[in-house]
Amino acid sequence: MKFTDGNVIRFHLQVLYGITVRSFEKKKERLFIGGAKIFGVPLENLPRRYIPEFGLVPCFLVDACSFLLERVGTVGLFRKPGSLPRIKTLRAKLNRGEGCLSTALPYDVATLIKQFCRELPEPLFPSELHAALLKAQAMSNLQDRTSALQLLSCLLPARNSSCLHYLFDFLSKVSQRCTENLMTTSNLATVFTPCLLPPPNKAEMSEARLELRVLVLRTFIENPHLFGNNPIVLS
């Protein structure tokens, strides 16, 4: 079975775990618009770089994460906000196609990554998957929970999957230096929940529902190798 076979994956989710996944609505094809703009632009319109382990990843994300990996010991990375005036200047330069990250400050670049994810026209985790992800995370059996989340990650469009897999791998590396930067997997998941799994309405903003969203991200940050990896082995 190919992990991209959405119908087979949905069947297994329903039969094994009682999880029904809403079909993704067919999005209207967008006209490709050239230009250097980075923020608020659909993934398919962004310049991307092929990374063998992950696929095509937005160049901005690769550059920004590579920059921060060299400064990963920075205390409060992603939690401490950057300077709004500096960030505004950086955004303007990036949207003009200017290379400016090499001289930026870590907190500013970390804030830019969060803004980049948050301002995408559609969340990296499509809204059609949110209910299923939360149901999977709420399962009591650890093995079932992990397998269900793995299967759900296999349903993502390729461009979303590559971006998220790369980001989770990066955040895992950040968390490995938590004795220096004080950013545990829980802290990172909390910070990135509004960017990657934003609650669609007030009903989804209860403490219990928000905690499930954080735990979904924490699972993938702690186990980035599982993302997009089909756990079902056919005989």
Side-chain angles (χ1 to χ4, degrees):
M1 181 186 75
K2 295 181 179 180
F3 76 85
T4 52
D5 191 338
N7 289 333
V8 177
I9 291 172
R10 286 184 172 86
F11 173 79
H12 281 289
L13 283 164
Q14 177 64 53
V15 171
L16 296 176
Y17 309 115
I19 296 176
T20 301
V21 182
R22 294 171 51 195
S23 296
F24 290 9
E25 297 177 6
K26 288 189 176 181
K27 309 294 183 182
K28 292 182 179 179
E29 289 294 325
R30 300 186 183 90
L31 293 175
F32 180 83
I33 302 173
K37 189 177 179 184
I38 297 295
F39 298 89
V41 175
L43 285 175
E44 61 266 34
N45 280 16
L46 290 168
R48 287 175 285 173
R49 188 176 306 158
Y50 180 72
I51 310 295
E53 185 181 349
F54 306 101
L56 289 169
V57 182
C59 293
F60 163 74
L61 194 60
V62 175
D63 293 340
C65 291
S66 298
F67 171 88
L68 289 180
L69 279 178
E70 297 178 0
R71 300 155 180 83
V72 74
T74 304
V75 175
L77 195 62
F78 289 109
R79 187 179 66 234
K80 183 176 178 180
S83 160
L84 291 179
R86 289 198 306 263
I87 290 169
K88 183 177 180 180
T89 300
L90 287 170
R91 283 176 61 106
K93 289 182 177 180
L94 288 166
N95 278 332
R96 292 196 299 267
E98 297 180 24
C100 56
L101 294 182
S102 62
T103 57
L105 296 180
Y107 297 121
D108 296 342
V109 176
T111 299
L112 285 173
I113 290 176
K114 290 188 294 183
Q115 290 182 353
F116 170 80
C117 295
R118 190 168 57 244
E119 295 177 18
L120 285 167
E122 297 164 6
L124 285 171
F125 277 111
S127 57
E128 294 90 345
L129 270 185
H130 288 202
L133 286 166
L134 301 193
K135 185 171 182 179
Q137 183 60 55
M139 297 172 72
S140 58
N141 182 279
L142 175 60
Q143 183 175 348
D144 288 347
R145 182 165 69 242
T146 303
S147 295
L149 287 172
Q150 279 184 263
L151 282 170
L152 287 167
S153 73
C154 293
L155 291 174
L156 287 161
R159 56 180 173 266
N160 298 56
S161 180
S162 296
C163 192
L164 281 167
H165 189 188
Y166 182 88
L167 185 59
F168 287 137
D169 184 78
F170 162 72
L171 293 176
S172 178
K173 291 172 182 173
V174 174
S175 72
Q176 290 167 17
R177 299 279 292 276
C178 64
T179 55
E180 300 167 64
N181 57 40
L182 306 183
M183 295 304 291
T184 63
T185 54
S186 180
N187 290 338
L188 289 166
T190 300
V191 167
F192 271 90
T193 292
C195 310
L196 303 181
L197 272 176
N201 51 56
K202 289 184 178 179
E204 285 293 319
M205 295 183 69
S206 68
E207 184 176 349
R209 300 293 283 179
L210 286 173
E211 179 62 17
L212 282 176
R213 291 175 185 272
V214 170
L215 289 173
V216 168
L217 298 192
R218 182 178 175 180
T219 296
F220 287 127
I221 293 172
E222 292 179 350
N223 306 280
H225 61 286
L226 300 181
F227 193 85
N229 178 21
N230 182 12
I232 296 176
V233 179
L234 298 184
S235 56

